[in-house]
Amino acid sequence: MQIPLSRRGFLAVSLVAMAAGAARAQEGRPRGLEPAERIEHPRASHFDLGPAEAPWRIFLGLPQVPAPRGGYSAILALDGNATFPILWHLREELAPEAPVALVGIGYPVETRFDPARRWFDLTSPGKQPVPAQEGLRGPGDRPTGGQDAFLRMIAAQLLPELGRRLPLDTGDLTLFGHSLGGLFVLNTLFTRPRLFARYAAADPSTWWNAGEPLREARAFRGGILAAGGRLDPAVPLLIANSGTEPPPILSLLSGIPGLELVHRPHPQENHGAVIRPAARQALALHLGRPTG
């Protein structure tokens, strides 16, 4: 015998069905196209920077304390739509009294990533096949090669604009990126080592262009040794990785005088999940705390 549902029971069943449908839809979305978390807080804001047809969206999270005499230090995070909320929660939980501003460099989209634009902004021009490893994806037909222009935008437009919007200590900045963002972090270290005080790369895409970052690391090492033998002042570099295999770039960067290399493996995490513990370690690195 079929028992008719009450109005309340019908509503409850409908809500469960809607939630299940939303969950199935969420599972069916391509990775990275899930809705991005929005930080609704008086100290969190965003603004667009760059050409009207293709601006970058800059997420800004001010600390709750006044700026010190020299200005706020700051963590600049690539893929800001995804990384800014993570860093916001970490700072509010772990360092609420720290005078650290958060800057997420993202795009005017509602999703965690804008795949086409990030492939362009974070890569050098060439395209080589992705090695046959589980979980690695190549650019396909997406344009690549905007790395240099993106870095120029950060140095020549974003940093001055941030200086106009808040008291900023440009000598106390950390650059954080994951995956292709980690690739960009390494390239910035190799080409503009003085632009940031610290660098943090999570699962950097060192396979790009058939190991291009490995070749850049060798050249970086040779250049330092040829130009006096050390980085002075010293530059901390955090490399966090998922899985059990250490990144091959570690051996090339180990022992460079003045490069304070910190390696933090996360064998239990996959490529997508490592971003959160790596962001925690990047915050610790920025604050001068133990990253373990």
Side-chain angles (χ1 to χ4, degrees), residues 117-133:
R117 288 197 64 187
R118 77 185 294 265
W119 273 105
F120 182 74
D121 281 344
L122 301 176
T123 59
S124 57
K127 291 184 186 181
Q128 294 290 339
V130 177
Q133 299 178 32

Side-chain angles (χ1 to χ4, degrees), residues 26-37:
Q26 184 84 345
E27 291 171 0
R29 287 192 179 96
R31 187 172 64 182
L33 295 184
E34 307 88 352
E37 179 185 357

Side-chain angles (χ1 to χ4, degrees), residues 58-267:
I58 309 302
F59 301 89
L60 181 59
L62 296 177
Q64 65 178 351
V65 295
R69 183 181 299 273
Y72 291 122
S73 69
I75 301 176
L76 278 70
L78 306 165
D79 290 320
N81 303 68
T83 56
F84 178 79
I86 293 172
L87 283 164
W88 172 274
H89 293 305
L90 288 171
R91 186 194 62 182
E92 297 298 287
E93 173 192 353
L94 302 175
E97 300 298 325
V100 179
L102 302 175
V103 180
I105 308 172
Y107 305 99
V109 297
E110 299 302 317
T111 51
R112 295 180 69 238
F113 298 96
D114 184 332
R117 288 197 64 187
R118 77 185 294 265
W119 273 105
F120 182 74
D121 281 344
L122 301 176
T123 59
S124 57
K127 291 184 186 181
Q128 294 290 339
V130 177
Q133 299 178 32
E134 183 179 355
L136 292 183
R137 296 172 296 114
D141 294 329
R142 298 185 184 104
T144 61
Q147 196 175 70
D148 291 345
F150 187 46
L151 183 55
R152 285 195 299 270
M153 182 280 293
I154 292 173
Q157 294 180 255
L158 177 56
L159 293 182
E161 180 62 26
L162 291 172
R164 286 188 284 270
R165 290 174 178 262
L166 72 156
L168 183 67
D169 183 353
T170 56
D172 196 3
L173 307 177
T174 296
L175 181 65
F176 171 67
H178 166 252
S179 193
L180 289 176
L183 170 72
F184 184 86
V185 167
L186 291 175
N187 177 263
T188 304
L189 169 66
F190 298 150
T191 58
R192 300 283 300 272
R194 297 294 171 220
L195 188 58
F196 294 90
R198 290 162 295 273
Y199 295 83
D203 262 358
S205 299
T206 56
W207 51 264
W208 176 253
N209 273 355
E212 177 183 277
L214 307 181
R215 299 190 294 274
E216 290 182 333
R218 293 188 189 97
F220 179 66
R221 183 187 195 97
I224 291 172
L225 297 178
R230 68 176 297 107
L231 282 169
D232 188 18
V235 177
L237 167 64
L238 167 71
I239 295 184
N241 67 275
S242 62
T244 57
E245 294 296 322
I249 202 165
L250 286 176
S251 61
L252 297 172
L253 296 176
S254 296
I256 295 178
L259 183 66
E260 298 178 351
L261 181 61
V262 180
H263 174 221
R264 292 293 178 261
H266 297 276

